Amino acid sequence: MASPGKSAAADFGLYRPSEEHDMLRDSVRALSEAKIAPFAAEVDEEGRFPQEARDALEANDLHAVHVPEAYGGAGADALATVIVIEEVARVCASSSLIPAVNKLGSLPVVLSGSEELKKRYLTPLADGRAMFSYCLSEPDAGSDAGGMKTKAVRDGDHYVLNGVKRWITNAGVSDYYTVMAVTDPEKRTKGISAFVVEKDDEGVSFGAPEKKLGIKGSPTREVYLDNVRIPADRMLGEEGSGFATAMQTLDHTRITIAAQALGIAQGALDYAKGYVAERKQFGKPIGDFQGVQFMLADMAMKLEAARQLTYAAAARSERVTLGGDGEDLTFFGAAAKCYASDAAMEITTDAVQLLGGYGYTRDYPVERMMRDAKITQIYEGTNQVQRIVMARNLP
Ligand SMILES: Cc1cc2nc3c(=O)[nH]c(=O)nc-3n(C[C@H](O)[C@H](O)[C@H](O)COP(=O)(O)OP(=O)(O)OC[C@H]3O[C@@H](n4cnc5c(N)ncnc54)[C@H](O)[C@@H]3O)c2cc1C
């Protein structure tokens, strides 16, 4: 596998991938087609975790490419991470949540964790011994995440956590959980702190997997925290900085959801393109009809616009990571996620249309892609919330 390295300029030229990025794409595509695609339909049908994908990604060091080299990771830049997620999502959206949520869960550690916590938690993630999840949402705190109720109360050298986190991707499979909890209820979002909780900590348990429309191979469960007593040094950053860390994390990781949307849409477009060349009606391939050609043209146009916006956002994410100016990252992260996910929903719906009745059945992959695309408009903040974020951060 090509090693996804740091881009020197961090602006990716005119947001064009470098030769190194292109090599990475080729190798992830080959791996995904050989080792992940063959199980995608089965994983969806059975609603089971894609262990084959985890094994293949870990064996090729592609499961958490964002982890800095200092902690044993590949130290990939934001665009390389996008490319990995895009290519895995092109064949299996559920599997793409392995690299995506490993980044989401561990980025708070990268951004705000002490050196000691970085060594302790990023190293096992990088070498494939552990996966990470991110626990912000609760049953009554979704779009208004600041309204969370989970509490962390200081007790000597420890904090004691109590509460319920809902909709947690890869819960039960992940070993580590970044948990946002209220340490000072008077201060609302400034009274929220972030902690690393381990799966084996006493008092941690999980709900039954949610029965979902799509991404059925990615387990989504509640995480219950029942008097979970953890050392105080598992706090990320200062007390009260957890909500800011959680939001900073989303600025970077919404770009990975955009990447997932791009991949799903590309998979649907590629399939539809091949289908219309084969399927004959009225004595010729349906791809010869201009009505069909115009649909494909629109799909490709929307996808490319979404890709350029996503890569522009990734360039900003990388600039911020390297300590540069990141004034417009919040806008770009929200815009990329919102635009790419809306485009993916339209493109996958059109792909089903282009397959006619066959597209509506599970004998073909486009209905799965359409169901999988829907979640990209909802998580890491719904697209209404992205529009609120954009409106507050107009460039
Ligand atoms: C499969 C799945 C995986 C997930 N993974 C994770 C995870 O790993 N970690 C995690 O912390 N969370 C996760 N989530 C949670 C996800 O981020 C939330 O579901 C999402 O933020 C929306 O919150 P909600 O479901 O409570 O909807 P609500 O906030 O109740 O929203 C309902 C509707 O109201 C709209 N709305 C709400 N407020 C406004 C407003 N001010 N203006 C306009 N419209 C508004 C919303 O856009 C939406 O259409 C996941 C969710 C799902 C379904």
Side-chain angles (χ1 to χ4, degrees):
M1 287 292 142
S3 132
K6 274 242 178 268
S7 144
D11 62 359
F12 314 126
L14 287 172
Y15 312 121
R16 260 208 49 67
S18 65
E19 206 175 306
E20 201 184 6
H21 289 116
D22 288 341
M23 279 165 55
L24 173 69
R25 184 188 300 282
D26 290 346
S27 59
V28 184
R29 180 165 295 196
L31 179 84
S32 300
E33 284 182 349
K35 306 272 188 191
I36 300 175
F39 303 98
E42 180 185 310
V43 155
D44 174 66
E45 191 78 32
E46 295 175 6
R48 67 166 178 86
F49 181 74
Q51 187 60 40
E52 299 87 350
R54 181 179 181 179
D55 293 344
L57 291 168
E58 287 177 356
N60 290 280
D61 215 6
L62 292 167
H63 59 291
V65 290
H66 67 285
V67 176
E69 285 168 359
Y71 310 104
D77 62 39
L79 181 60
T81 309
V82 159
I83 288 170
V84 170
I85 294 166
E86 210 184 320
E87 287 303 322
V88 176
R90 182 175 159 275
V91 302
C92 178
S94 293
S95 299
S96 73
L97 281 160
I98 296 171
V101 175
N102 274 340
K103 179 164 181 176
L104 173 67
S106 65
L107 201 61
V109 180
V110 175
L111 292 172
S112 304
S114 63
E115 199 47 39
E116 159 61 21
L117 288 183
K118 287 182 187 171
K119 278 199 196 107
R120 198 189 317 165
Y121 292 112
L122 298 178
T123 311
L125 172 65
D127 67 24
R129 273 178 292 147
M131 282 175 51
F132 244 104
S133 287
Y134 175 90
C135 306
L136 179 68
S137 307
E138 297 187 359
D140 294 322
S143 299
D144 180 15
M148 68 178 63
K149 297 200 183 82
T150 295
K151 282 198 173 54
V153 177
R154 179 104 195 196
D155 180 19
D157 291 342
H158 288 75
Y159 278 90
V160 180
L161 276 65
N162 277 289
V164 178
K165 290 294 176 180
R166 195 177 172 106
W167 311 115
I168 306 308
T169 300
N170 292 341
V173 178
S174 288
D175 307 85
Y176 305 140
Y177 297 80
T178 297
V179 173
M180 272 49 79
V182 177
T183 40
D184 185 346
E186 303 286 294
K187 295 189 180 155
R188 204 171 137 91
T189 56
K190 294 207 164 67
I192 291 172
S193 305
F195 301 87
V196 179
V197 170
E198 299 182 10
K199 183 181 183 174
D200 295 335
D201 286 331
E202 211 179 314
V204 175
S205 60
F206 305 99
E210 303 291 346
K211 296 181 180 127
K212 306 192 298 287
L213 174 72
I215 55 161
K216 292 186 179 197
S218 171
T220 314
R221 293 191 174 91
E222 284 190 324
V223 175
Y224 305 119
L225 304 160
D226 183 14
N227 282 319
V228 179
R229 193 177 162 80
I230 58 170
D233 67 7
R234 291 231 219 125
M235 182 184 276
L236 299 170
E238 301 291 307
E239 190 170 291
S241 67
F243 195 75
T245 297
M247 294 303 114
Q248 244 181 301
T249 298
L250 295 179
D251 281 347
H252 292 275
T253 59
R254 281 177 179 147
I255 301 164
T256 68
I257 302 304
Q260 190 185 31
L262 294 180
I264 297 169
Q266 185 71 60
L269 176 58
D270 289 349
Y271 197 88
K273 240 165 59 184
Y275 185 87
V276 302
E278 298 292 323
R279 172 72 174 168
K280 288 200 174 100
Q281 289 292 280
F282 303 99
K284 50 179 159 177
I286 57 171
D288 284 1
F289 298 117
Q290 200 177 49
V292 166
Q293 291 168 3
F294 280 10
M295 281 180 75
L296 286 164
D298 280 346
M299 290 157 80
M301 173 179 69
K302 286 175 196 165
L303 178 53
E304 202 45 46
R307 181 171 284 121
Q308 293 303 320
L309 181 55
T310 303
Y311 290 3
R316 280 158 176 84
S317 165
E318 188 59 19
R319 269 208 289 279
V320 171
T321 303
L322 296 177
D325 170 19
E327 269 173 22
D328 50 5
L329 172 62
T330 302
F331 175 85
F332 268 78
K337 189 272 194 197
C338 187
Y339 192 86
S341 60
D342 284 352
M345 199 64 240
E346 290 169 18
I347 292 165
T348 54
T349 305
D350 282 351
V352 170
Q353 188 71 19
L354 285 173
L355 268 72
Y358 298 97
Y360 200 64
T361 71
R362 293 200 191 166
D363 297 334
Y364 293 84
V366 288
E367 65 82 35
R368 165 170 55 84
M369 293 165 174
M370 180 178 159
R371 287 185 285 107
D372 287 346
K374 185 62 203 168
I375 192 59
T376 63
Q377 296 181 303
I378 295 174
Y379 56 18
E380 295 210 18
T382 64
N383 281 2
Q384 286 88 343
V385 166
Q386 304 310 317
R387 287 176 167 95
I388 297 172
V389 172
M390 284 187 273
R392 285 182 186 155
N393 293 278
L394 291 174

